[in-house]
Amino acid sequence: MVMRFEKLLRNLLCVALLLGSVMTGANLAFAGTSGSNMDAVLVVDVSTSMNQSDKNKVSNEAMKMFVDMTSIQANKIGIISYTDKIEREKAMIQVNSEQDKNEIKAFIDSLQKGAYTDIAVGVKEAVKILDAGRDPSNSPIIVLLADGNNYLNAASGRTQAMSDQELQASIKEAQSKGYPIYTIGLNADGQLNRTTLEKIAKETNGKFFETSTADTLPQILSEIFANHLNLKVVPITNFTSNGQAQDVAISIPNANVMEANISIMSQKPVEVKLFDPSGKEVHIPSDQVRLSRSSAYTMLKIVKPQQGEWKLQVKGVPQDKIDINMIFNYELQLEMEPVASKTYQAGDVIPVKAALVSNGQKVASPDLYSQMKATLLIHDLTDQKTSEVAITNTGSSFEGSFTIPADHKYEISVKAEDSSFYRETQPLTIDASAAGSGTATPTPPPAGENTAPEEPFPWLTVVIVALGVILLAALAFYLLSVWRKANKGFIGQIAIEIVDEDTGDKSNPQYKKLNAFKGKVKLHQLLQLAPEFQETDKVVFLPGKNDTLIIENRSTCRIEKGGRVLDVSQGKELKKNDRIKISLSSVNKSVFVDYIV
């Protein structure tokens, strides 16, 4: 009881401190998004109409390459394959290891073709996946690989008008939530529906790419990856292999490169060696250099590479064409210094200064700044005109000025770039219009103006009110915690297979997305309330911590994991990829459940 009381006091103290900071007008600072991490959903049309567009499943290789380019630092990736329904889906998982990447790539390899196609289905589900699993501090993106055509199943009753309406609603939702959709149109058979794919990209602030051969997909996805993170694809070289080791120069321009992704496009296997600026060979793979291979590419990821000239040796099959590109990952932002808060008018000169920042600290790196150029971007919100003015690179910042040309409203920002990346500051609004008030701050009244007699401060009233607020806040906190427990969302999905123990017949896996449920879900619900499975009404799933699932059993069913019977009457935690067997007592059938995150 004492410990509970002490815990309550600590909670009340936290609430009191929070309320105190609010009541005294304290400012709370929140860290902004870094923009270097992303939440990506890759969506691919797997209808049979894509057989001609992508005979060798290069789209799979391209998606795997996209996965390999992401850094292992809190990026999230989800996968959707669709026809006229969702065929397979992998809810967004956080990429924290090479094992996580391998899991996603193995899922991509498992995708199978199906009949019919309805593009609205894929786009709608992509928006749902981002809603359910995205990290607000990450940059969202959807990549859609399709030919843009619909082939609807007449027996389903679905019409083109219905699909168009659903697609437009999903586009609007993506636009309102800031989810850019990059579309890649595969046009190998000349039947590309360019209009639909261009519309999706344009209205969501994404980009449209077209290709007549799936072999260019890895390059296109490299460009999408770079564009979305304000990076640039750096062409290194392309050559025809002579069957011997050929030297390729790799330049690391500064010490702020977090990762260097070197992609080697080749239709045949290649052998690679890497040498650091001192000439020492670097072991591949190692903690510093990660290696990924597929049938379409070989990728090296150098983690925190030393600045200087590296050497890559590539040995390919004679006459094989090899194309090498590089993308750098930077943990950098560009921030503009605050502008004086006052009322502005035409003719005023506003000094502008911006600097590169990493983890909240200005970057002091002359090597980083040496090759960069910066411009001041000026958008006249009154006339809807945009102009650019070059500003000075001082070696540690970018400096210039903006002279207000007219009594208009403006939005200004600074963009800095070199050959491998670019960054842009958050825009700043300057209101010099006649109707505007600039950024003026209230002026305090002159001293001595208020002559009213000073009254004693009502300490007793403040204390009573504060205690009442604290108690109400504590009660609200308790009720909120109860409500959250009852409405906690699920992560991922489960796959269900039903086995007839008498005949050995097994059903096809049924994938049940859990994010449609809150608080808890009964197995009987997931089995569509079939009467023969009535006893599973007392087998319950609850959301657990750290993306786990809790199973509780109050039925007469027997639950096994790895051949061992589990006592789950008080709950048992299921982790990612756990598989359990639930043996029914009323019928000679078993239900196999796989938890997929």
Side-chain angles (χ1 to χ4, degrees), residues 17-31:
L17 289 173
L18 177 60
L19 288 173
S21 67
V22 173
M23 291 172 69
T24 57
N27 291 322
L28 301 179
F30 294 90

Side-chain angles (χ1 to χ4, degrees), residues 413-445:
S413 61
V414 175
K415 181 179 181 179
E417 61 184 321
D418 73 359
S419 60
S420 64
F421 79 106
Y422 62 94
R423 291 292 185 269
E424 189 171 330
T425 65
Q426 290 292 321
L428 174 68
T429 300
I430 304 294
D431 192 351
S433 63
S437 58
T439 53
T441 54
T443 303

